[in-house]
Amino acid sequence: LKGINPILRAVLSVIPGVRQKYLNGEHLMMAGANLSVAALPLIQAADISPEKPLSEQLDRLGAVLAQTAPRFQAVVSHLQQVEASALPSAERVKFLSVREKVKWLASDLEKVQPLLKNLSVILGGDSPKRYLLIFQNDTELRPTGGFIGSFALLDVDKGKIKRLDLPGGGSYQMQGALKAAVLPPAPLQLLKARWEFQDANWFPDFPASAKKIMWFYEKGGGPTVDGVLAFDTRLFIDLLKITGPIEMPEYNLTVDAQNFVAVTQKQVEIDYDKVENKPKQFLADLAPKVIEKLLAGAADFLPLFSALSDNLNERHLQTYFSDHDLENFSIASGWAGELKDNSQGDYLSVINTNIAGGKTDGVIKQTVNHQAKIEVDGSIVNIVTITREHQGQPGNIFTDLQNVSYLRLYAPEGSQLIKAEGFTFPEEKLFKVAEKWYKLDEDLQAVEQEQTIDETSGTIITKELGKTSFGNWVMTKPGQTTTVSFTYRLSFKLLNENGDYLSYSLLVQKQAGRVADGFFSHIFIPADWRVVWRDPAEIELNANQLNYSVDLREDRYFGFVIRK
């Protein structure tokens, strides 16, 4: 093309049979030129240097992206105008693959710009930041991922860790300094008469729990923090896959991804120094070594970013920021762990809270079976059945115990309970009696509203966080399987102005800390209606029934449209 006279090129662009080949060449040339110009500074900016502050390098990369993003969009535009059928057949498949990849690359680069900007702020790029790190033990499941066994105070400035203070006494270290005496949620009185820091993550909505964690931390003499980062054992395991084995000569141990849970559990529950009484000291010694090894390999940051991304998507890592803009970014990025809104459709989330049930949730296999019957008038009755199989081994000190769970099902606000079956209430005498001067907690009252009790089943019904919650007790012994169910009518009907079409959607949110519960949905539609659209395509059709199943590793959303 470069060797052809400009006037001749203009002629070629209009000759039938030659025109498309010529235009293909022009667009390919312009795409290649823009890609070459954009790629070099991007590659140079992405070269992480351990000597420079990480926040500064993120800012530099963000500035380069802002300059190069228009060129990547130009690449996409030119490639979209190439007629693939006019290309040599041997190159056609390769071209189509490249075009699709470049399209997604350009889209990703646009998303990366705000990510880099906010990461720089989170890491103290504009001013030093202080965060509360919450270590949650998912073998003792709690609403946001697990029991708060340990915590740490993290100071960062311009991407560098200035302080990491992990108390060896763990979360119980906050008890003596707590200057507030408030009543806990009623189910927690099986453990304590007073609500305390280690039980603060009561709300499945992580922002609500994070605020309560900060409240207890400050009431216990802790400083004000800029946010809360909570994670469970899954993140530690994934980080150890990157670092490889960590030598702990002071404990005569080597910790790796395979033995982390078993070794840590034994160290913090059994083998710690009873005189010194710092059961979490093992984690306090391990965490800095993991971070040091990760930072030593900072030049190869992609595995770390991938692990963080997976844990954020699957709610093994959740973030809360006091800064309004950062929190909005966290929510938009899917990091915040909030109970999401599906105001136009159905909603379901099953939340277990282990209360005096030992470290048994790691051996509980849970499946959730959802049935929805859509009536002719558009009303919907749901039956949700939860099966919990206790796979604990006899004689195991941690898992050969009864699992005791206060189970809550979150449904669309206004849902009406019809029936609840299979539940077992702990003995009344086991619940702790609070002192008379203990006060009602204002945050708990603000979240849990209009509480009533179903007299037949003892189910506690609460208006909560824009949802209706049904709560009851499930107790499962080792080797046994427990099945419970809720039957309820949704507060809305599926209606359309002309009556020809009805649309249904269901948002299913997994519980933080759970790995992959089995989820099965069976939806029954009126006999004289047919499905005209569904998403995802994996939804099976069987006469007037739709079936959808998935391992619930992350939140799922599906729906369909039916026509009379």
Side-chain angles (χ1 to χ4, degrees), residues 42 56 102 117 134 159 183 199 201 205 216-218 252 297 302 309 311 348 359 374 393 455 459 543 546:
L42 189 61
E56 179 184 314
V102 171
K117 176 184 176 182
I134 300 298
L183 289 167
D199 298 315
N201 56 347
D205 180 84
F216 274 111
Y217 186 61
E218 291 180 20
N252 196 29
L302 288 178
S309 177
N311 279 269
L348 175 63
K359 306 292 188 290
I374 302 174
Q393 296 300 311
E455 293 184 2
T459 299
L546 296 96

Side-chain angles (χ1 to χ4, degrees), residues 30-322:
M30 293 303 297
N34 277 286
L35 192 59
S36 298
V37 171
L40 184 58
L42 189 61
I43 292 169
Q44 292 172 338
D47 185 16
I48 301 294
S49 170
E51 287 77 29
K52 294 182 179 179
L54 181 57
S55 59
E56 179 184 314
Q57 297 185 78
L58 292 174
D59 290 339
R60 182 167 63 95
L61 182 55
V64 171
L65 281 176
Q67 294 174 349
T68 60
R71 288 198 176 272
F72 278 98
Q73 289 300 332
V75 173
V76 173
S77 177
H78 282 294
L79 292 182
Q80 288 297 114
Q81 296 178 69
V82 172
E83 180 56 58
S85 62
L87 295 175
S89 58
E91 305 297 328
R92 200 172 299 153
V93 174
K94 186 188 296 184
F95 166 77
L96 291 172
S97 174
V98 169
R99 181 164 69 180
E100 190 68 15
K101 288 174 181 175
V102 171
K103 175 184 173 183
W104 286 111
L105 173 63
S107 175
D108 285 346
L109 289 178
E110 282 193 349
K111 297 174 185 174
V112 166
Q113 292 180 59
L115 171 65
L116 295 175
K117 176 184 176 182
N118 284 284
L119 274 180
S120 177
V121 176
I122 290 169
L123 295 173
D126 59 344
S127 61
K129 294 291 189 292
R130 172 169 286 173
Y131 299 112
L132 193 59
L133 304 185
I134 300 298
F135 297 68
Q136 301 185 110
N137 186 348
D138 48 87
T139 66
E140 188 175 349
L141 203 60
R142 290 295 173 89
T144 66
F147 178 73
I148 302 174
S150 301
F151 69 94
L153 198 63
L154 173 70
D155 290 344
V156 291
D157 185 16
K158 293 184 170 38
K160 289 190 176 295
I161 296 175
K162 297 296 185 181
R163 174 190 181 189
L164 180 64
D165 181 16
L166 199 162
S171 58
Y172 286 109
Q173 192 165 312
M174 299 293 295
Q175 285 179 318
L178 182 61
K179 297 181 177 66
V182 294
L183 289 167
L188 284 177
Q189 287 187 255
L190 187 61
L191 284 176
K192 292 276 185 179
R194 182 178 73 158
W195 201 4
E196 296 173 346
F197 175 79
Q198 71 276 3
D199 298 315
N201 56 347
W202 172 252
F203 309 113
D205 180 84
F206 184 69
S209 274
K211 291 174 188 175
K212 199 65 206 173
I213 289 169
M214 292 167 62
W215 185 87
F216 274 111
Y217 186 61
E218 291 180 20
K219 293 293 182 182
T224 300
V225 295
D226 296 299
V228 179
L229 310 179
F231 49 90
D232 58 49
T233 61
R234 183 62 48 177
L235 177 63
F236 247 111
I237 290 169
D238 287 346
L239 294 181
L240 286 167
K241 289 177 182 177
I242 298 171
T243 64
I246 301 291
E247 300 295 334
M248 304 282 287
E250 63 272 46
Y251 295 90
N252 196 29
L253 287 170
T254 299
V255 181
D256 58 30
Q258 284 70 42
N259 68 10
F260 168 73
V261 173
V263 167
T264 303
Q265 216 157 242
K266 190 168 184 288
Q267 287 294 321
V268 304
E269 297 286 341
I270 300 172
D271 290 347
Y272 67 93
D273 188 323
K274 305 301 188 296
V275 177
E276 190 178 33
N277 196 27
K278 292 183 177 181
K280 311 300 180 179
Q281 188 60 45
F282 179 76
L283 277 173
D285 294 333
L286 175 62
K289 294 186 178 185
V290 173
I291 293 172
E292 182 182 355
K293 203 165 182 181
L294 286 170
L295 294 177
D300 185 17
F301 61 87
L302 288 178
L304 176 59
F305 275 22
S306 178
L308 293 175
S309 177
D310 288 345
N311 279 269
L312 286 164
N313 289 336
E314 298 179 12
R315 295 187 71 182
H316 297 294
L317 170 61
Q318 297 164 101
T319 64
Y320 172 77
F321 301 100
S322 302

